[in-house]
Amino acid sequence: AHGDLVHSAAADTAGGIYSGGTATVLDSSISYNTAGQIGGGTFDGVLAMSNCVVAGNSADSAIGGLYIDSYGGAMVEDCTIVSNTALQYGGGLCLDAFQPVVISRCKVMHNRCSAGHGGGIFLWSAGTLSDSLIVGNSAATGGGVGADSGTDTSLINCTVAGNTATASGGGIYAHGGETAMHMTNSLVYGNTAPTEAEYATNNSGILEFSYSCTTPDPGGAGNITTDPRFVDANAGDYRLDFTSPC
């Protein structure tokens, strides 16, 4: 697909797009679709997606926006995933691939799942998130990013801020034995939850930080807990002020 608009469709699974093979989606919009089970775009194959918008999709069950159920890995770059909703998990995006998924230079914003993990992103499989902005999302746990099922994921040069959880882990949440998330040169700050606002684990989940900014101090090399001083977080400007310690 190149330059396509998938708008206001409805189905039980994959309201907008379903691909069971190899898919390349460029410069396209998947918007305002609805699904009874799994939402906006479902890709059960090998996916390359670039410069796309996934917006305003919803699912009655899980994964409001983009579901990557890939047997061969996937690459998503320069995309905006915004204002998608689901009930159980993965408001904006869910990774469930047999091979690692690479997500880079993406904005994942204002997505919501009301009763589960991962308002912005839910991880069921390994991947790398780099140079991405994950802000303003909400869930019961893992308002920004939630991980489960023994996944091993790296966040590199990412900002996870302004996300909300109604239970714990407003920013990030790792659940389950052998589930690991590794934050490098990233900001996890300014998130909210009743307990463990920035990051939380449960059932032996593992979170590792290095050369990152969060609070309280998670241990690890080169981390700081000082306010990163965003230019204007209230207005959605998460660039760093010139006085930032980061």
Side-chain angles (χ1 to χ4, degrees):
H2 188 180
D4 287 344
L5 177 67
V6 183
H7 189 281
S8 301
D12 186 56
T13 298
I17 291 179
Y18 177 81
S19 170
T22 299
T24 299
V25 185
L26 306 174
D27 305 314
S28 298
S29 174
I30 304 168
S31 302
Y32 303 104
N33 304 289
T34 60
Q37 296 296 319
I38 298 173
T42 298
F43 296 92
D44 183 11
V46 181
L47 170 67
M49 176 179 277
S50 179
N51 198 33
C52 293
V53 175
V54 180
N57 302 285
S58 63
D60 292 340
S61 179
I63 313 165
L66 181 62
Y67 181 31
I68 301 174
D69 180 19
S70 170
Y71 59 78
M75 179 180 68
V76 180
E77 60 183 16
D78 300 307
C79 291
T80 298
I81 300 168
V82 59
S83 299
N84 302 283
T85 61
L87 175 63
Q88 296 179 17
Y89 51 84
L93 167 67
C94 177
L95 308 186
D96 185 16
F98 288 98
Q99 299 293 326
V101 175
V102 176
I103 297 175
S104 59
R105 301 185 304 278
C106 289
K107 297 178 181 179
V108 182
M109 306 183 299
H110 308 301
N111 302 284
R112 175 173 57 87
C113 63
S114 56
H117 306 321
I121 301 173
F122 182 68
L123 305 169
W124 254 341
S125 60
T128 300
L129 283 65
S130 65
D131 302 296
S132 293
L133 182 66
I134 303 163
V135 301
N137 305 285
S138 63
T141 54
V145 183
D148 204 343
S149 301
T151 61
D152 194 314
T153 304
S154 296
L155 276 69
I156 303 169
N157 303 334
C158 290
T159 296
V160 183
N163 302 286
T164 303
T166 56
S168 64
I172 56 178
Y173 179 83
H175 178 270
E178 300 182 0
T179 298
M181 297 176 67
H182 313 275
M183 273 61 62
T184 303
N185 197 37
S186 293
L187 307 177
V188 182
Y189 211 98
N191 303 284
T192 58
T195 62
E196 300 174 296
E198 304 297 351
Y199 58 89
T201 64
N202 191 21
N203 294 342
S204 303
I206 299 168
L207 294 174
E208 296 180 343
F209 289 80
S210 59
Y211 302 97
S212 294
C213 178
T214 193
T215 186
D217 187 350
N223 296 306
I224 64 173
T225 60
T226 308
D227 186 337
R229 298 179 189 167
F230 299 120
V231 170
D232 190 349
N234 290 333
D237 189 343
Y238 289 94
R239 295 175 300 165
L240 295 175
D241 187 81
F242 74 94
T243 64
S244 171
C246 301

